Amino acid sequence: SYELTQPPSVSVSPGQTARITCSGDALPKQYAFWFQQKPGRAPVLLIYKDNQRPSGIPERFSGSSSGTTVTLTISGVQAEDEADYYCQSAATSGYVFGTGTKVTVL
Amino acid sequence: EVQLVESGGGLVQPGGSLKLSCVASGFSFSSYEMNWVRQAPGKGLEWVSYISSGGNSIYYADSVKGRFTISRDNAKNSLSLQVKSLRAEDTAIYYCARWLQDSYYGMDVWGQGTTVTVSS
């Protein structure tokens, strides 16, 4: 079955930049979406269509795509950005989520 | 206020059944495709099922195919997931999420989730 692979964890100091990658063979042909999930909360859509931000999402969150890898970048990381992050894309019949990345703010 | 509210979760024995519900408010439910996504304790997100805005197109994850049935009633702004032949590995929080039809806006609104626990 189709998989999207993310690093299990990323650590970053406040004010620095965090980059989270997501790799999948179909990503050159399918859009990617990114979600943030904090403990005990439902996921929140951060990025749609590879690099678009929904209204209300801070500008420090951005997305990019290159070949089979998409990247979520958090610029000027804040303590409140500590959370789990998931990429998501389309599969043959349905959708698939990435394995998830825990971002720790040092 | 745009809102999705799930219900119907609970404790069920292996092999048992439940019907999960998701009620929408604050938006035009019939214009949105809907999904169920689950999260096992301490694990990541797993897409479970999709239904088109009119209910004509349905997909399931391989892990639930043949055991779960998604449906919707646009007149009642409601989405359902009938879950049968439950296994321990189906234990999870089940979320419903909307996706504007024929768009790439993604799953932009999620419910708070309903918890299913499969245990004897």
Side-chain angles (χ1 to χ4, degrees):
Chain A
S1 61
Y2 183 48
E3 294 182 347
L4 296 175
T5 302
Q6 300 178 231
S9 62
V10 168
S11 297
V12 60
S13 299
Q16 299 303 303
T17 296
R19 292 181 179 84
I20 305 167
T21 58
C22 170
S23 298
D25 290 342
L27 288 176
K29 295 173 288 186
Q30 298 290 348
Y31 286 122
F33 304 80
W34 288 95
F35 297 87
Q36 177 193 65
Q37 187 181 32
K38 295 184 178 180
R41 305 295 297 274
V44 173
L45 179 66
L46 290 178
I47 297 289
Y48 66 95
K49 208 174 171 182
D50 286 348
N51 55 24
Q52 301 298 302
R53 265 190 322 276
S55 61
I57 300 302
E59 291 184 5
R60 65 179 182 275
F61 293 97
S62 63
S64 61
S65 177
S66 179
T68 59
T69 299
V70 294
T71 302
L72 174 71
T73 300
I74 312 173
S75 304
V77 166
Q78 302 180 6
E80 66 198 52
D81 299 330
E82 185 161 289
D84 294 326
Y85 293 82
Y86 297 90
C87 60
Q88 175 253 310
S89 190
T92 304
S93 297
Y95 298 111
V96 60
F97 285 92
T99 50
T101 299
K102 181 175 182 58
V103 169
T104 300
V105 181
L106 301 171
Chain B
E1 179 189 5
V2 173
Q3 202 171 8
L4 294 170
V5 178
E6 302 95 335
S7 62
L11 174 63
V12 60
Q13 293 186 339
S17 300
L18 281 174
K19 187 169 187 177
L20 309 183
S21 297
C22 168
V23 175
S25 59
F27 65 97
S28 177
F29 182 68
S30 61
S31 296
Y32 285 81
E33 304 162 358
M34 296 298 295
N35 292 272
W36 286 99
V37 177
R38 69 183 181 183
Q39 186 169 36
K43 302 297 185 182
L45 301 175
E46 179 188 14
W47 172 80
V48 172
S49 185
Y50 158 95
I51 187 167
S52 61
S53 57
N56 298 320
S57 182
I58 286 174
Y59 299 115
Y60 298 100
D62 289 343
S63 58
V64 307
K65 202 171 293 184
R67 301 187 299 122
F68 289 13
T69 302
I70 192 172
S71 62
R72 66 188 297 160
D73 184 339
N74 286 343
K76 296 182 178 180
N77 292 340
S78 70
L79 173 74
S80 296
L81 186 70
Q82 177 74 52
V83 298
K84 298 180 177 179
S85 303
L86 284 164
R87 308 165 181 167
E89 54 264 36
D90 295 317
T91 294
I93 299 172
Y94 285 73
Y95 297 100
C96 60
R98 73 173 195 179
W99 187 315
L100 182 63
Q101 65 182 5
D102 302 323
S103 80
Y104 290 105
Y105 292 135
M107 299 182 204
D108 67 335
V109 174
W110 295 58
Q112 85 289 349
T114 188
T115 300
V116 173
T117 304
V118 183
S119 175
S120 55

